[in-house]
Amino acid sequence: MYYIMMFIAAVFVNNIVLAQFLGICPFFGVSKKIDTAIGMGAAVTFVLTLATIVTYLIQVYVLSPFGLGFLQTLTFILVIAALVQMVEIILKKTSPALYQALGVFLPLITTNCAILGVAILVIQKDYNLIESVVFAFSTAIGFSLALILFAGIREQLSLNNIPKGLQGFPIALITAGLLAMAFMGFAGIV
């Protein structure tokens, strides 16, 4: 039951984008089309979960035992960058269409503060490996859900007549704010 509550809390209540405001760059950058949002969500889910596992193991078995905690952020950034390069190479070979669709946004995963934030949060919350994996996967699902919902809303908004002063980024910010308020309604669940 604990892991189910952790999943619900990470996806809905403490959504990494809508409640904690981490990962905003790809949230606004890749959310113009649902197809691209789904691909980005899948890539972020894979990288976030794998990065959390690797960074947790590095923290527990290398940094903490040898008193190298001050290298945590630098080490985590390097691990995340290496994993993103690996995902980029795999996508280029296995799914060229998705690789082309993501285009310049794929390197955004490297600088996606949600990935680094989750890697650091699992250490700060003193989670064990299983809790870390559940939290990371749940957070990635929450990120993907918010991204796909936002992309769907933006696609619908592009079909509507929006006043000139609100077109583009202003209406996207207003929509993101309304979506964040909608997710706040889940706060009573957990």
Side-chain angles (χ1 to χ4, degrees):
M1 189 65 171
Y2 172 70
Y3 295 115
I4 293 171
M5 296 303 280
M6 181 184 281
F7 180 84
I8 291 170
V11 173
F12 298 110
V13 180
N14 297 321
N15 188 288
I16 197 81
V17 176
L18 300 174
Q20 298 179 15
F21 307 112
L22 293 172
I24 297 293
C25 294
F27 181 70
F28 283 113
V30 186
S31 62
K32 293 181 182 172
K33 293 185 178 184
I34 292 178
D35 296 337
T36 309
I38 291 171
M40 182 65 154
V44 167
T45 300
F46 176 74
V47 170
L48 182 60
T49 306
L50 189 60
T52 301
I53 293 169
V54 173
T55 55
Y56 176 86
L57 294 173
I58 289 172
Q59 178 71 34
V60 169
Y61 293 110
V62 177
L63 298 178
S64 292
F66 295 109
L68 300 172
F70 62 93
L71 292 174
Q72 180 186 57
T73 304
L74 179 65
T75 304
F76 287 8
I77 289 171
L78 292 173
V79 167
I80 292 166
L83 289 172
V84 169
Q85 288 297 319
M86 182 181 73
V87 168
E88 191 171 356
I89 291 168
I90 291 170
L91 277 180
K92 195 173 191 178
K93 291 186 185 242
T94 61
S95 179
L98 179 58
Y99 177 77
Q100 289 293 342
L102 290 175
V104 73
F105 298 113
L106 193 55
L108 273 178
I109 296 175
T110 304
T111 59
N112 187 345
C113 56
I115 296 174
L116 180 61
V118 170
I120 292 173
L121 277 173
V122 297
I123 303 301
Q124 287 178 345
K125 293 184 178 193
D126 202 28
Y127 286 155
N128 62 33
L129 184 59
I130 295 171
E131 291 170 334
S132 298
V133 171
V134 170
F135 180 75
F137 181 75
S138 304
T139 301
I141 295 297
F143 177 85
S144 300
L145 175 67
L147 188 65
I148 293 166
L149 285 174
F150 192 59
I153 293 170
R154 286 183 78 178
E155 279 188 3
Q156 289 298 313
L157 283 173
S158 68
L159 302 174
N160 293 327
N161 188 15
I162 297 170
K164 187 175 181 180
L166 292 176
Q167 290 177 357
F169 200 64
I171 196 68
L173 285 173
I174 292 169
T175 305
L178 292 172
L179 192 58
M181 287 179 16
F183 269 65
M184 284 175 58
F186 293 113
I189 293 176
V190 179

